Amino acid sequence: MRGTGRAGGLVLAVAVGTAVLTGCDRGADAVTAERPLLVAAAADLRPAFTELGASFEDATGEEVVFTFGSSGQLAQQLLEGAPMDLFASANAAYVDRVIDGGVGDAATQRTYAFGRLVLWSRADASSRWEDLDALAADGGPTNLAIANPDHAPYGQAAAEALRTAGILDQVRSKLVYGENVADTQRLAATGNADAAIIALSLAVAADEAGEGRWTLLDDRLHEPLQQVLVVTATDPDRASLAGRFIDHVSSDAGRGVMRRFGFLGEGEDPPATWER
């Protein structure tokens, strides 16, 4: 399982494929693809999908190659002919766009998760901004990173949260933009921004590595980050393989990984440990 490039919950129980992979072995169905499964995935999915890709390969013998990036940039690549088998976007709009452009099987379109935003900073940062109001206060951060709202759903949600909180105009001059939400975290991690509004999944991954600190933002400040996927393979065998990966993500074990990284299903409440 590999990831490629910087351009770079809820999977419905009705999955695209037929086999739920919680108990798969590497028997007759192993290594059926002539090339790896190619997955274009939103940057917030890197921690969860990297782990799920490895367990999928262990269970099936099929290799997965991920391209992580902003959903808008990935959608554009698909519309320009990028040979991807599955597109997992951080919102519904970019999946709609590729389907409208003749890419992807609309019958396979599924909501697989709802994401969350956090305010994140380095663990050794001299100040901690525990809420959005602190960002606009005297002594607030000099630079605040968000993903580029032009093509990154988490950037769009971050800008909307700042606007709803009534502080977008006050902090606009402080904003620096990452190409995607992972790049946004990098800006704060390297000191090129004092704080960042990023995906909970990336904050959890950094937390597991002993890096960074974060505060979960109120999800009423922005439209839901409804994350949607669609099979984009045209070859039936490759579409079937994509369906098997979706089944893996939607299995009990897969959902456990997704929840651990902050991807909730509809109606699921966040664990108390998310409240910092």
Side-chain angles (χ1 to χ4, degrees):
M1 179 268 303
R2 304 190 301 271
T4 62
R6 280 177 50 195
L10 174 70
V11 174
L12 299 184
V14 181
V16 176
T18 58
V20 176
L21 299 175
T22 51
C24 278
D25 60 29
R26 301 170 69 114
D29 291 334
V31 198
T32 57
E34 294 181 359
R35 60 181 173 84
L37 178 69
L38 303 179
V39 179
D44 64 301
L45 291 168
R46 182 184 292 272
F49 269 26
T50 297
E51 187 168 323
L52 289 170
S55 59
F56 179 76
E57 290 181 8
D58 288 343
T60 67
E62 304 287 8
E63 185 180 7
V64 187
V65 174
F66 295 105
T67 296
F68 294 104
S70 73
S71 298
Q73 290 176 331
L74 293 173
Q76 186 61 38
Q77 291 172 22
L78 284 160
L79 290 170
E80 292 173 356
M84 297 296 175
D85 302 312
L86 178 65
F87 176 38
S89 173
N91 70 1
Y94 288 117
V95 168
D96 290 340
R97 182 176 297 182
V98 300
I99 291 173
D100 290 346
V103 179
D105 179 0
T108 66
Q109 185 175 1
R110 298 286 186 271
T111 297
Y112 64 90
F114 287 85
R116 294 293 301 270
L117 286 176
V118 302
L119 181 59
W120 189 88
S121 60
R122 299 184 312 281
D124 62 351
S126 59
S127 299
R128 179 172 183 174
W129 300 280
E130 296 190 357
D131 55 48
L132 292 182
D133 288 341
L135 300 178
D138 291 341
T142 301
N143 294 309
L144 172 66
I146 67 172
N148 191 328
D150 289 343
H151 49 71
Y154 275 85
Q156 295 161 11
E160 184 182 358
L162 293 170
R163 184 180 301 108
T164 303
I167 64 170
L168 180 59
D169 289 340
Q170 293 99 302
V171 302
R172 194 183 302 274
S173 63
K174 301 179 179 182
L175 294 180
V176 293
Y177 299 100
E179 281 301 296
N180 54 62
V181 72
D183 187 47
T184 302
Q185 183 184 31
R186 182 191 60 78
L187 290 172
T190 57
N192 290 294
D194 298 318
I197 298 177
I198 63 168
L200 173 60
S201 58
L202 301 180
V204 170
D207 202 33
E208 290 184 354
E211 302 169 355
R213 53 196 186 187
W214 52 271
T215 300
L216 188 68
L217 298 189
D218 189 338
D219 61 356
R220 294 172 295 183
L221 292 171
H222 57 85
E223 290 296 314
L225 280 157
Q226 181 180 1
Q227 306 206 186
V228 175
L229 57 76
V230 66
V231 174
T232 52
T234 56
D235 178 84
D237 290 337
R238 303 208 59 75
S240 176
L241 181 59
R244 292 170 67 191
F245 182 74
I246 295 170
D247 285 345
H248 187 59
V249 175
S250 64
S251 69
D252 289 344
R255 288 294 309 130
V257 172
M258 293 293 283
R259 280 193 297 270
R260 192 177 99 238
F261 284 107
F263 296 109
L264 295 177
E266 190 168 14
E268 288 184 338
D269 293 323
T273 53
W274 291 7
E275 301 295 341
R276 300 294 185 98

